[in-house]
Every structure is written in C-alpha cells, then in structure tokens.
Amino acid sequence: MLVSPTLAINEEIARRRAQGLPVVPLGFGEASLPVHPSLVEALATHAAQASYGEVAGAAPLREAAAGYWSRRGVPTRAEEVVAGPGSKPLLYAVFEALGGPVLLPKPSWVSYAAQNAILGQRSVGVPTVPGEGGVPDPELLDRAARELREGRTPPTAVLVTVPDNPTGTVATPATVRELCRVAEEHDLVVISDEIYLDLVHDPDREVITPSQVAPGRTITTTGLSKNLALGGWRIGVARIPGGGVLDPVRRRVTSVASELWSAPAHPVQLAAAWAFTEPEPLVSHIARSSRLHGRVARATAAVLRSAGALVAEPGGGFYVYPDLEPLRGRLAPRDVAGSPALARLLLEEHGIATLPGVAFGDDEDRLTLRVATPMLYGTTDARRWAALDADEPEGLPWIREGLDTVAGALGAL
Ligand SMILES: Cc1ncc(COP(=O)(O)O)c(C=O)c1O
C-alpha cells in the first residue's frame, strides 16, 4: 500500500523545493493559514493537562461540540459525541463499525475508498449531479443500492461531503433532501463529512446537510483542520445519534478508539473545546479565511477556464476540479490520455503540483485534476496574514505569480 496520494504530493513538493526546483504547490489540501493567536494561548494554558482522559473525549470538548451542532439545527447531546485525533481516524472507525459495502460520491476524497480497502470492505462510487460534487446523484444512488441488494450484498451506508473535496462545489438543498429520501428508502446510514461546512464562501447561501434533514440516521464528522487551519493539531469529532439503531455503532467506535488512539491529546482537546464554543475572535477569523479561500479558488477557476478547461464554480472549501477534456486533442501527441499522465506532465515540465482525478476515484481516462489553492498564500506567516488582510488577495504578487505560471503552462500545452 502506498502513502495516501495527498500526503505523497506534499512530500514531493518539499523534495523539489529542497533541490531548488521551481514549484507551484497545488497538490496538498492543507489550509495553510496562521494559527489564531488566541488558540496558541489556549493550548499553552492547557499544556500541563497530561492525563489520557476519557476515551470518547474530554467532557468540555464533547459539550462544546454538542453546542456547535445544536446551533446549526442539529440537536446534539454531549453523550452522542466521540472525539478523535482528526476526523480521518473517526471515519475509519465508523466504516469499521458499519461494515460494507459503502456508497461513495464519485469523485470523492482519497481516503474514503482507501480506508474501506484496508478494512477489506467494498466501496462503490456513484457519480454526482454535475456541479454538485460530494453527494451521489440520488437517482443513481437508488439504482446502485438496488443492484447491490439484488447481488445479495446490500449497502450499509452512503457518504456525503458538503462542501466537497475534490470539486469545491456545494450540493443544493433539493439534492441533499432527495438523497436523504433515497437513503431512508434503502435503510442506509448517511455519513456526512462536514469538515468544510464553515468554509462556504457566500455567507448568504442556503446550505443544508443530511445532519439537518435526517439527524436520526446520520453520523456527522467534522474538525478544526480546515476552518481554523489546525490540521497538525489532529483533532476531530463525530456525532453518532443516540436512542436508536446507531447506539451500537457509537459503542463500537469508542471501543476502536480505546484500542487505537486511547484519546486525543488532552491539551488539544481543551483548546478545541474553547474553539467549538465559537468565540467572536475565531468566528471572524473563519469568516476572513473563508473569504480568502473563495476569492483565490474563484481566481484559479477563472485562469483554468481561460486556458480552455471546464471548471464548476467553487462554492466552499479551497479546491477546484478542472476537466481538460477540451484540450485532449492537444495533449494526445504528448501521450497524455488520462489524469496520471497529465498530472505528471504538469509537475515534471512546469513544476505545477496537482493530484490526478483518478486518485479520487474518477475514471483513469478522464483529464481531471484536483487543484488545492491555499499553498499559494505563501510559506511564511507574514505572507499568509497579508493574504488574509488583502481586499484582493488574488492580486498579491506571490499569489499572482503562481496563477500566471498555471496560465502559462496550460497555454503552452
Ligand atoms: C473531505 C475530508 N474529510 C476529512 C479530512 C480529514 O481531516 P482531519 O483528519 O484533519 O480532521 C480531510 C482532510 O484532508 C478532507 O479533505
């Protein structure tokens, strides 16, 4: 088994930089923003808390996460929350507890299918409605669930990502409602990965998630890696609703937690507890971050579009997912007939690091790429604060330089 493609590209970027090679880092999905000073202070305050604490998470964190969800129209009790070292291991434990097969959006985040493969479980990709990544097309979901049933391997769950990684798009409320209806018809648990939910670019946009529509059958995961750029703190939470069929799933996830990670780092949990209460300095920091991600993602989409790619307008998070199908004729003489060769060509000839669509479960012959935009903000905190402060961050010289390199490379294809 190879290292997860998203982490592998990060190491490749570092390797190229160390060799003094030029690199435009669009591969790794890290938020790349400074830690808010109040969080640094909160973590320092709790640094002496060195006991393991409760497996399911420290009481203040579970209470704060319950409040966070309840404020979003998803009534939650602290007992329904399980904390973990990131939402990634929590998702793994949830997949393990539910068993397969699991229905995934196609394309979708690299680790869902990989985690199921490690578990020896089947996952099946279901295409999304165009422009609405992260949520399987409800009609196709219905068909896939029927087929699996007929083959005597009924699916256990369907996963959704709102907003989406890799496409950066946000499914409409109508699609989310219809997906929940189909899930109910087939008695599927919905796993709702909402790690980008606080990063919807337009604060006035109406976004709903399965957690709001079907709170009794939905397991929700989130964390602070994206909204507060705390990926390296490794903290995430899952909401596994109580009082019904999911009680054994929560017990099983807690049991896996006890055998794999014992509990997340205690000081991090206590600082995260404060963050989940959504104090004002953090709420405005997230709003600024979201605005920055939106502006730079849209500027990147515009550059890719003017070079001839098809790109859905990003609506949340910090990704765009260009399809270079209109350039196929120009790429054929270079032996580029699918996403792996395309990503390789951009990296080797132009120093542009992206990930091929195939890493996200897309068909290998498609010319799709996952482009992550935050590493354009720069490698120093000074540049990142400047990006957060700028009215037009896409015009800052170091961000413009990255975008110009992309425009030049695609133009030269
Ligand atoms: C869609 C999605 N879900 C989950 C994660 C995992 O985040 P973490 O384990 O840091 O909470 C990521 C990170 O890249 C992601 O993109």
Side-chain angles (χ1 to χ4, degrees):
M1 185 115 200
L2 298 173
V3 170
S4 184
T6 141
L7 296 165
I9 193 70
N10 194 38
E11 289 170 17
E12 175 63 18
I13 292 169
R15 197 186 59 78
R16 288 182 70 91
R17 279 199 172 125
Q19 288 179 350
L21 294 169
V23 57
V24 184
L26 302 172
F28 190 43
E30 181 159 276
S32 296
L33 287 173
V35 177
H36 193 273
S38 66
L39 282 164
V40 176
E41 207 179 303
L43 185 59
T45 304
H46 298 293
Q49 300 288 333
S51 64
Y52 285 98
E54 253 187 276
V55 170
L61 173 57
R62 297 172 80 197
E63 270 154 32
Y68 170 93
W69 274 310
S70 299
R71 285 191 294 281
R72 282 159 182 74
V74 189
T76 307
R77 289 171 294 118
E79 307 85 76
E80 295 172 304
V81 177
V82 183
S87 59
K88 195 178 197 172
L90 286 168
L91 282 161
Y92 179 85
V94 167
F95 289 136
E96 195 274 347
L98 292 172
V102 178
L103 296 156
L104 301 177
K106 178 183 173 178
S108 55
W109 181 48
V110 288
S111 292
Y112 307 132
Q115 291 188 344
N116 278 284
I118 292 172
L119 288 163
Q121 291 174 186
R122 193 165 159 206
S123 59
V124 177
V126 179
T128 62
V129 176
E132 296 188 52
V135 177
D137 179 328
E139 214 179 303
L140 302 179
L141 177 71
D142 179 53
R143 203 177 303 160
R146 272 176 214 287
E147 279 171 17
L148 285 167
R149 273 214 184 138
E150 281 158 17
R152 297 189 186 281
T153 52
T156 56
V158 56
L159 182 140
V160 310
T161 319
V162 183
D164 183 36
N165 171 12
T167 65
T169 57
V170 187
T172 61
T175 301
V176 171
R177 285 202 180 89
E178 185 56 12
L179 173 119
C180 291
R181 196 193 60 71
V182 174
E184 187 170 355
E185 203 177 302
H186 290 279
D187 199 20
L188 299 174
V189 173
V190 183
I191 306 167
S192 186
D193 181 346
E194 301 180 4
I195 193 125
Y196 297 98
L197 190 59
D198 292 344
L199 296 179
V200 172
H201 303 154
D202 175 0
D204 296 326
R205 177 177 184 154
E206 193 204 351
V207 176
I208 63 163
T209 71
S211 317
Q212 293 158 325
V213 181
R217 70 166 59 247
T218 302
I219 294 176
T220 315
T221 57
T222 191
L224 305 177
S225 301
K226 312 299 175 179
N227 60 354
L228 287 166
L230 296 176
W233 278 27
R234 306 312 300 131
I235 190 75
V237 282
R239 173 191 182 272
I240 308 179
V245 289
L246 294 177
D247 278 326
V249 172
R250 193 177 46 264
R251 284 196 291 274
R252 177 77 190 173
V253 167
T254 311
S255 153
V256 169
S258 74
E259 299 299 358
L260 291 190
W261 59 82
S262 302
H266 209 152
V268 171
Q269 288 194 70
L270 298 178
W274 179 69
F276 274 114
T277 64
E278 300 182 271
E280 170 38 41
L282 296 187
V283 171
S284 32
H285 186 63
I286 292 170
R288 275 164 89 199
S289 309
S290 192
R291 176 182 173 277
L292 167 64
H293 295 316
R295 286 196 76 104
V296 175
R298 286 194 300 276
T300 309
V303 162
L304 293 162
R305 249 181 240 128
S306 37
L310 304 168
V311 196
E313 188 72 341
F318 35 69
Y319 305 105
V320 286
Y321 194 71
D323 179 352
L324 275 66
E325 187 58 38
L327 306 184
R328 188 176 286 279
R330 280 199 260 153
L331 289 164
R334 319 273 325 258
D335 274 342
V336 174
S339 63
L342 176 60
R344 210 174 314 119
L345 179 128
L346 288 175
L347 182 64
E348 283 171 7
E349 295 193 9
H350 302 278
I352 299 172
T354 60
L355 284 178
V358 72
F360 300 84
D362 214 340
D363 297 328
E364 195 163 344
D365 60 351
R366 293 195 67 202
L367 293 168
T368 48
L369 295 170
R370 204 284 307 263
V371 172
T373 52
M375 283 193 158
L376 291 172
Y377 309 156
T379 49
T380 62
D381 270 4
R383 285 196 165 179
R384 292 168 175 181
W385 281 117
L388 276 169
D389 284 343
D391 286 337
E392 294 180 2
E394 65 281 11
L396 290 170
W398 58 95
I399 295 181
R400 194 72 256 162
E401 191 189 343
L403 294 177
D404 287 347
T405 307
V406 173
L410 293 188
L413 286 178

